[in-house]
Amino acid sequence: MKNWLEILLVSSRLGLTSFGGPIAHLGYFHEEYVRRRKWMDEKSYADLVALSQFLPGPASSQVGIGIGAIRGGLFGGLISFIGFTLPSVIALMILALLMQGLGIGEAGWIHGLKLVAVAIVAHAILGMGKNLTPDSQRKAIALLALVVTLLWQTIYAQVVMILLSALIGYFIYKNHSDSNPNDNGSRIPFPISKRAGVICLALFFGLLFLLPLLREITSVSWIAMFDSFYRSGSLVFGGGHVVLPLLEREFVPTGWVSEEAFLAGYGATQAVPGPLFTFAAYLGTIINGWTGGLLATAAIFLPAFLLIFGTLPFWDAMRRHPKMKAALMGVNAAVVGILLSAFYQPIWTSTIISPLDFAFAAVLFSMLVFWKAAPWVVVLTGAIGGSLLFWLL
């Protein structure tokens, strides 16, 4: 019970302050769960990030669910998800119900929060890079991942690089001391059996094929809606930024949501903290009120639960296998390169526009790294500072 309350409080604070999109969320998680609370070590966190990057769905949400489950069991994973997701779900459902064109996308405090994301992600990359790329071979793998994902801008680039890096890591490190079978490292107990994991994976694929059939047979509107959101959450690689245009193709041409309403929600989703997949709550509310918002949220995140609960029971054993450990050394190095690529595009390119932006981001970074300020203090400073800069300039 104590663990559950702690998970809820920590994840809720992250849900209220984690601006900047999925890559920034991984930075916030790293700061809170690894550096401050030490719920996981660096390698375990990097392994979990790599697994979530490889799986379809919202990577940052899957990492949060996994950490919550490891800390507090199945219910801990659910609580972690609720705390991180509920603030943005509520905000977007209220916006949909009010349907006001707030025009918040260009507000100064929004830009300030983007600068906070720059500082948070830079801090996370420095920490992970130091621990996960200690030698020249892994630095080279990270560089390769950086170059490939920057120049090959497709939703499959990350998956291809993770597979390639696993292969490279296997051949380089299969006889390395870090992949010695007697070097077990830290053990991460996961409170779900392998049988339950298999059931979760069977449900994931079963729903993916069954829901379209039910949609055709029954012609029930809520089944069609659930199917559209479930497929969107199941088939998206690359995080929340990719799911937004996919949802546009799913709901605007069909007439369920007007283009104007879609664009208004699109802008609002960029401005709220938490996972970008909560855009589904806005769309569902537009379609069928608050019940539609809750249904859409459940449908788009259900694949994330089934996949992470289906794979994590096998994760600890796999990552401790000598050959798998060698492959993961390459994968973890690639994750650093992938995060660095995402740090440049879209975080840096859409945020650091002027010397003043860079200067303020440097101040926020110094607060976080050198003065050890709490993340919520850095977020508040960024929002206030961004508003002041907006009015002064």
Side-chain angles (χ1 to χ4, degrees), residues 72 93 101-102 108 110 119 171 175 186 198 203 206 226 229 235 277 298 300 303 325 339 363 365 368 388-389:
M93 287 177 66
L102 300 178
I110 295 296
F171 283 111
N175 297 317
S186 60
V198 171
L203 281 173
F226 194 95
F229 282 109
L235 304 177
F277 270 54
I300 202 167
K325 288 178 73 175
L339 291 177
V363 170
F365 179 82
L368 186 67
L388 291 175
L389 292 177

Side-chain angles (χ1 to χ4, degrees), residues 44 47-48 51 70 178-181 183-194 310-328:
S44 296
D47 290 348
L48 182 56
L51 175 63
I70 291 169
D178 280 359
S179 60
N180 191 298
D183 177 20
N184 289 323
S186 60
R187 182 174 294 277
I188 305 294
F190 191 69
I192 294 180
S193 67
K194 292 181 179 180
T311 54
L312 277 180
F314 307 95
W315 171 55
D316 200 56
M318 290 174 62
R319 75 188 189 99
R320 302 166 75 81
H321 190 279
K323 294 181 180 179
M324 183 61 68
K325 288 178 73 175
L328 282 174

Side-chain angles (χ1 to χ4, degrees), residues 344-369:
Y344 174 75
Q345 175 71 35
I347 294 176
W348 183 281
T349 55
S350 64
T351 305
I352 305 298
I353 302 170
S354 68
L356 189 58
D357 290 332
F358 184 84
F360 190 37
V363 170
L364 296 171
F365 179 82
S366 298
M367 290 177 62
L368 186 67
V369 178

Side-chain angles (χ1 to χ4, degrees), residues 122-172:
H123 188 208
I125 291 173
L126 285 176
M128 294 180 71
K130 180 180 178 180
N131 288 283
L132 302 177
T133 58
D135 53 49
S136 58
Q137 293 96 327
R138 277 176 277 188
K139 286 182 172 65
I141 294 173
L143 178 61
L144 177 64
L146 165 66
V147 172
V148 170
T149 53
L150 271 180
L151 300 182
W152 186 27
Q153 296 280 334
T154 74
I155 61 176
Y156 300 107
Q158 291 185 5
V159 176
V160 170
M161 267 315 307
I162 286 174
L163 291 173
L164 179 61
S165 300
L167 188 62
I168 295 172
Y170 169 75
F171 283 111
I172 294 178

